[in-house]
């Protein structure tokens, strides 16, 4: 049996729990002599069958390849979607989503979101005739007010970046469905371990797989996960969202390499244990930060006094492993705190097994609205007490600043 056949046969592992599917869905040896670990297929081209090419035959790596297909199958299964599409980066996935819109269309985005998306839409897509508004997505009434008769898409990011605001995915997706808008959720901070937006009614789930899904800060990537039943506008039944985005992925070609896909498959195997351990540590650390005399405010949806806590409890299985906090001190002191840690590495990005933190305002440079005394922490897999002690030691910088 060729490898393509063995992957596309009807054996599905969907009856198993997601932890099990993370290990067996995309690749599971069936025949004697098959490797436990999937092979890496770097070839860009594949030998044609005698009758010529047909759909479902490997031919050219930009279109499809074994490693990408295994990864897409695994991620779709974990997210509860019917299809996943891999991209070379999170931003390549974002770009594909904006490309299903037409000049004149209007997009609603959260005021507090990944700064790369804000810059992309402002600097590139305004010239293409897209219009957009940044709104407070914690208030559905503000979303309705900001809509125009050309609104076609609502973009959600919850918890938001870097303020960890919580918006109600089910309510906003329903609001979008009632009006014929496409709903998109950037689920990078949560992963399907914590939050599954398709189950809450969203049309498209977006990932920077560079973060938690990759988990080891060594592979860049992006993904979209969808159901193949959602129609793409104009809803004349001509194509589904999944079909349009699949065409964009293959035609535009911002795809990950087979090796990147192979690495990502390997990362998904430990996703559930990583995320749970990191989130458990983060809960403890957030509580400690709350009590700390050099900390002014903590932003973490697991805390009972977080304004979005009640929604978080409903739509998130865990509060996540990202914490933002403002120190009692100025921007200069915050920068000093971040660079004086011994365990936590001062670096941008998030979701790796090593804890990192950053002074978010200077990382966002252009047009940042982030407070100067805010530090954003990505809790890793070190012993939680070592992370906590490192924070305590670093916060001593606030004392000398007084
Ligand atoms: C990092 C990130 C992105 C962009 O992904 P890249 O892989 O860096 O292109 C998008 N959204 C969120 C929430 C992110 O953290």
């Amino acid at each position: 049996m060729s490898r393509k056949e063995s992957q596309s046969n009807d054996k599905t592992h969907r009856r198993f729990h997601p932890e099990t599917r993370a290990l067996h869905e995309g690749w599971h040896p069936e025949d004697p002599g098959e490797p436990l670990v999937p092979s890496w297929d770097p070839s860009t081209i594949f030998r044609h069958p005698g009758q010529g090419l047909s759909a479902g035959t490997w031919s050219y790596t930009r279109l499809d390849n074994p490693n990408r297909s295994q990864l897409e199958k695994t991620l779709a299964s974990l997210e509860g979607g019917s299809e996943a599409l891999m991209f070379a980066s999170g931003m390549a996935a974002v770009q594909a989503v904006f490309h299903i819109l037409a000049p004149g269309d209007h997009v609603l985005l959260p005021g507090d979101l990944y700064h790369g998306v804000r810059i992309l839409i402002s600097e590139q897509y305004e010239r293409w005739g897209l219009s957009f508004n940044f709104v407070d997505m914690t208030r559905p009434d503000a979303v309705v007010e900001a809509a125009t008769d050309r609104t076609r898409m609502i973009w959600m990011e919850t918890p938001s970046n870097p303020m960890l605001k919580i918006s109600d995915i089910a309510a906003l997706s329903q609001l979008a469905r009632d009006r014929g808008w496409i709903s998109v959720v950037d689920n990078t901070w949560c992963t399907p371990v914590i939050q599954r937006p398709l189950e809450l009614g969203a049309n498209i789930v977006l990932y920077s797989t560079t973060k938690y899904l990759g988990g080891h800060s060594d592979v860049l990537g992006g993904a979209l996960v969808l159901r193949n039943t959602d129609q793409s506008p104009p809803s004349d039944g001509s194509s589904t969202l999944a079909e349009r985005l699949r065409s964009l992925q293959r035609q535009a070609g911002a795809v990950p390499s087979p090796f990147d896909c192979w690495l990502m498959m390997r990362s998904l195997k430990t996703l559930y244990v990583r995320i749970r351990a990191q989130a458990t540590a983060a809960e403890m650390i957030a509580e400690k930060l709350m009590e700390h005399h050099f900390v002014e405010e903590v932003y973490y949806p697991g805390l009972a006094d977080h304004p979005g806590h009640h929604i978080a409890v409903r739509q998130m299985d865990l509060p996540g492993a990202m914490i933002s906090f403002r120190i009692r001190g100025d921007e200069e002191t915050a920068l000093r705190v971040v660079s004086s840690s011994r365990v936590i590495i001062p670096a941008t990005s998030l979701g790796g097994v090593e804890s990192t933190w950053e002074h978010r305002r200077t990382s966002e440079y252009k047009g940042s609205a982030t407070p100067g005394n805010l530090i954003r922490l990505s809790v890793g897999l070190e012993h939680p007490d070592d992370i906590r002690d490192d924070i305590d030691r670093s916060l001593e910088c606030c004392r000398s600043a007084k």
Side-chain angles (χ1 to χ4, degrees):
M1 198 193 288
S2 78
R3 211 174 295 151
K4 179 105 185 180
E5 283 162 0
S6 82
Q7 279 164 6
S8 59
N9 72 12
D10 266 350
K11 280 215 175 77
T12 167
H13 294 94
R14 288 210 178 197
R15 61 188 180 281
F16 298 121
H17 293 92
E19 294 84 345
T20 309
R21 284 186 264 130
L23 295 157
H24 296 277
E25 181 81 19
W27 174 253
H28 182 89
E30 303 283 359
D31 298 328
E34 277 190 323
L36 181 138
V37 174
S39 304
W40 166 48
D41 288 313
S43 189
T44 53
I45 51 176
F46 300 82
R47 184 182 165 132
H48 289 185
Q51 70 276 23
L53 281 181
S54 56
T57 332
W58 306 122
S59 68
Y60 187 57
T61 268
R62 166 159 52 75
L63 304 178
D64 204 358
N65 63 72
N67 295 106
R68 198 166 89 208
S69 166
Q70 290 160 4
L71 174 60
E72 289 178 341
K73 193 175 169 202
T74 309
L75 189 57
S77 165
L78 301 183
E79 195 68 47
S82 42
E83 207 156 339
L85 291 73
M86 299 306 303
F87 289 86
S89 69
M91 292 312 295
V94 172
Q95 190 186 13
V97 172
F98 288 151
H99 268 68
I100 59 181
L101 299 171
D105 285 352
H106 177 251
V107 188
L108 291 165
L109 301 109
D112 178 40
L113 89 167
Y114 178 66
H115 71 297
V117 176
R118 175 195 299 277
I119 293 170
L120 181 78
I121 198 160
S122 313
E123 290 190 5
Q124 307 298 334
Y125 284 94
E126 204 158 23
R127 285 188 296 119
W128 286 64
L130 280 192
S131 61
F132 46 88
N133 274 109
F134 296 103
V135 295
D136 179 1
M137 296 249 169
T138 63
R139 290 179 44 225
D141 58 318
V143 172
V144 174
E145 258 168 52
T148 74
D149 55 1
R150 292 301 307 269
T151 301
R152 293 287 177 272
M153 181 177 282
I154 180 169
W155 194 275
M156 294 170 244
E157 191 184 316
T158 175
S160 69
N161 184 357
M163 302 308 289
L164 288 109
K165 292 183 185 166
I166 300 293
S167 42
D168 188 333
I169 297 175
L172 293 172
S173 298
Q174 181 63 49
L175 196 149
R177 195 162 341 110
D178 292 345
R179 290 163 177 76
W181 308 341
I182 299 168
S183 49
V184 184
V185 178
D186 184 337
N187 206 34
T188 299
W189 280 29
C190 285
T191 83
V193 180
I194 291 179
Q195 182 169 272
R196 291 164 302 281
L198 294 181
E199 289 175 6
L200 300 166
N203 298 123
I204 302 175
V205 178
L206 181 141
Y207 286 108
S208 165
T209 60
T210 315
K211 316 295 167 58
Y212 286 105
L213 293 176
H216 295 70
S217 310
D218 57 5
V219 56
L220 196 71
L224 301 175
V225 192
L226 308 93
R227 285 175 297 256
N228 57 17
T229 45
D230 289 344
Q231 293 298 309
S232 172
S235 46
D236 55 7
S238 59
S239 60
T240 64
L241 267 177
E243 284 164 351
R244 286 213 40 209
L245 285 161
R246 180 67 76 189
S247 299
L248 271 165
Q249 177 207 36
R250 290 178 172 164
Q251 291 164 11
V255 290
S257 73
F259 185 62
D260 287 355
C261 295
W262 184 91
L263 263 181
M264 194 63 69
M265 272 286 277
R266 180 190 176 129
S267 292
L268 289 184
K269 295 184 187 210
T270 55
L271 180 68
Y272 286 79
V273 284
R274 281 191 280 114
I275 300 295
R276 285 172 184 154
Q278 286 171 258
T280 304
E283 282 192 80
M284 182 279 276
I285 289 163
E287 296 279 353
K288 291 284 173 201
L289 281 170
M290 282 278 287
E291 296 160 8
H292 204 290
H293 50 289
F294 291 139
V295 174
E296 199 167 273
E297 191 150 9
V298 183
Y299 305 93
Y300 184 67
L303 298 170
D305 68 348
H306 184 288
H309 180 68
H310 59 293
I311 300 170
V313 167
R314 208 164 63 219
Q315 69 188 16
M316 298 169 78
D317 290 347
L318 296 163
M322 294 298 300
I323 305 168
S324 289
F325 59 98
R326 285 193 292 124
I327 59 153
R328 282 192 204 285
D330 56 10
E331 174 150 0
E332 205 180 302
T333 314
L335 278 160
R336 220 152 358 105
V337 169
V338 163
S339 55
S340 61
S341 55
R342 284 191 246 157
V343 176
I344 306 168
I345 295 157
T348 195
S349 197
L350 57 117
V353 288
E354 289 88 3
S355 292
T356 57
W357 64 1
E358 65 180 321
H359 180 253
R360 192 60 194 164
R361 186 176 169 81
T362 43
S363 296
E364 290 180 337
Y365 48 98
K366 258 187 198 167
S368 172
T370 302
N373 63 346
L374 183 136
I375 295 171
R376 196 188 76 180
L377 167 68
S378 170
V379 176
L381 280 179
E382 299 89 353
H383 194 288
D385 293 349
D386 291 335
I387 305 173
R388 182 203 56 202
D389 292 350
D390 200 34
I391 295 170
D392 281 351
R393 222 172 14 238
S394 306
L395 280 169
E396 282 303 310
C397 293
C398 299
R399 190 184 305 279
S400 51
K402 295 237 155 180

